[in-house]
Amino acid sequence: ETGVTQTPRHLVMGMTNKKSLKCEQHLGHNAMYWYKQSAKKPLELMFVYNFKEQTENNSVPSRFSPECPNSSHLFLHLHTLQPEDSALYLCASSLRPDSNYGYTFGSGTRLTVV
Amino acid sequence: AQTVTQSQPEMSVQEAETVTLSCTYDTSESNYYLFWYKQPPSRQMILVIRQEAYKQQNATENRFSVNFQKAAKSFSLKISDSQLGDTAMYFCAFMTTSGSRLTFGEGTQLTVNP
């Protein structure tokens, strides 16, 4: 049990589809994050949420739409994606955004856009 | 902005031997935190070791230890008595004390051979 659960594990979608990624944690953390992991590139931070409020958006295209209904759940809504959006999407959480004990990660959703 | 560089995309080691993974970083901050994460084929990022920059003593966790050279901005990970289960992608990461987000390097794929 990782503490951070992501579903689905794999997702294949067409460029015109709409899908959502889900992340859930019951660690009592208040900060949650979406990262994009592409081959041979550093992890890219996409969004940061603190107590359900978005505090950071790193110039992510609007075809990615995050939602954080409470401190335990985080979604990433996807629509009209491009093939270059194919990647591993990782969710993470921490007690606070400035927590220096690192983040707890989920196992990611492997997204393929066809 | 902080950057993290891992110059070894791939490494291999024989079981029971010792291997060292390199990481350098660039920052103007004087106090910060450094991390090594492991990402096995299961894809979950697992925190291996954490170092506080203001501590001179190198962090150690069982078979994992670091060589932290603050002046050189170097933070290498040593794995002793390598085991097959150590096969994974290893990421070096950086965070300032002011609560900047975790910044990752490109990763090093380590393969432990029987």
Side-chain angles (χ1 to χ4, degrees):
Chain A
E1 187 60 42
T2 69
V4 177
T5 303
Q6 289 188 244
T7 54
R9 186 166 173 80
H10 300 276
L11 178 63
V12 179
M13 59 184 290
M15 290 190 285
T16 59
N17 291 159
K18 290 185 179 181
K19 296 287 185 184
S20 296
L21 311 184
K22 180 182 177 182
C23 176
E24 184 174 358
Q25 59 90 9
H26 296 288
L27 300 169
H29 291 171
N30 298 303
M32 296 187 78
Y33 313 83
W34 280 115
Y35 277 88
K36 177 182 179 182
Q37 184 179 6
S38 304
K40 303 190 187 307
K41 293 176 66 176
L43 272 71
E44 302 171 55
L45 178 64
M46 301 174 71
F47 300 104
V48 179
Y49 276 82
N50 185 30
F51 287 100
K52 304 187 300 178
E53 299 299 319
Q54 187 182 121
T55 57
E56 198 161 331
N57 175 340
N58 283 324
S59 304
V60 180
S62 60
R63 57 185 184 270
F64 294 91
S65 175
E67 178 190 2
C68 189
N70 54 61
S71 293
S72 298
H73 294 85
L74 183 65
F75 296 88
L76 188 62
H77 303 299
L78 316 171
H79 63 97
T80 58
L81 293 191
Q82 304 299 310
E84 60 265 29
D85 297 323
S86 298
L88 180 67
Y89 288 85
L90 291 167
C91 174
S93 70
S94 65
L95 187 60
R96 306 184 308 268
D98 61 350
S99 173
N100 53 50
Y101 286 91
Y103 301 167
T104 301
F105 284 84
S107 298
T109 295
R110 173 73 66 190
L111 174 66
T112 303
V113 181
V114 297
Chain B
Q2 290 79 25
T3 59
V4 179
T5 302
Q6 294 177 248
S7 59
Q8 305 153 314
E10 297 179 356
M11 294 190 72
S12 62
V13 64
Q14 292 300 120
E15 196 174 5
E17 293 185 348
T18 295
V19 64
T20 299
L21 309 183
S22 301
C23 173
T24 58
Y25 56 93
D26 187 26
T27 183
S28 58
E29 303 282 335
S30 59
N31 201 12
Y32 43 85
Y33 301 88
L34 293 161
F35 307 83
W36 278 98
Y37 278 86
K38 167 185 176 180
Q39 187 180 40
S42 66
R43 303 186 327 212
Q44 189 205 352
M45 298 273 278
I46 302 165
L47 179 62
V48 174
I49 203 164
R50 170 182 174 272
Q51 174 79 40
E52 301 174 6
Y54 61 87
K55 288 189 176 179
Q56 300 277 1
Q57 187 173 4
N58 289 323
T60 299
E61 289 288 341
N62 300 314
R63 298 182 295 106
F64 298 87
S65 62
V66 298
N67 183 4
F68 173 49
Q69 301 290 327
K70 191 172 184 180
K73 295 181 181 176
S74 171
F75 182 61
S76 60
L77 175 70
K78 185 172 84 171
I79 306 174
S80 303
D81 186 25
S82 298
Q83 301 176 0
L84 297 179
D86 295 333
T87 292
M89 182 74 83
Y90 286 81
F91 291 94
C92 178
F94 173 100
M95 174 186 277
T96 67
T97 54
S98 59
S100 69
R101 309 302 169 242
L102 267 180
T103 300
F104 288 85
E106 305 93 332
T108 296
Q109 176 63 50
L110 175 68
T111 301
V112 180
N113 298 309

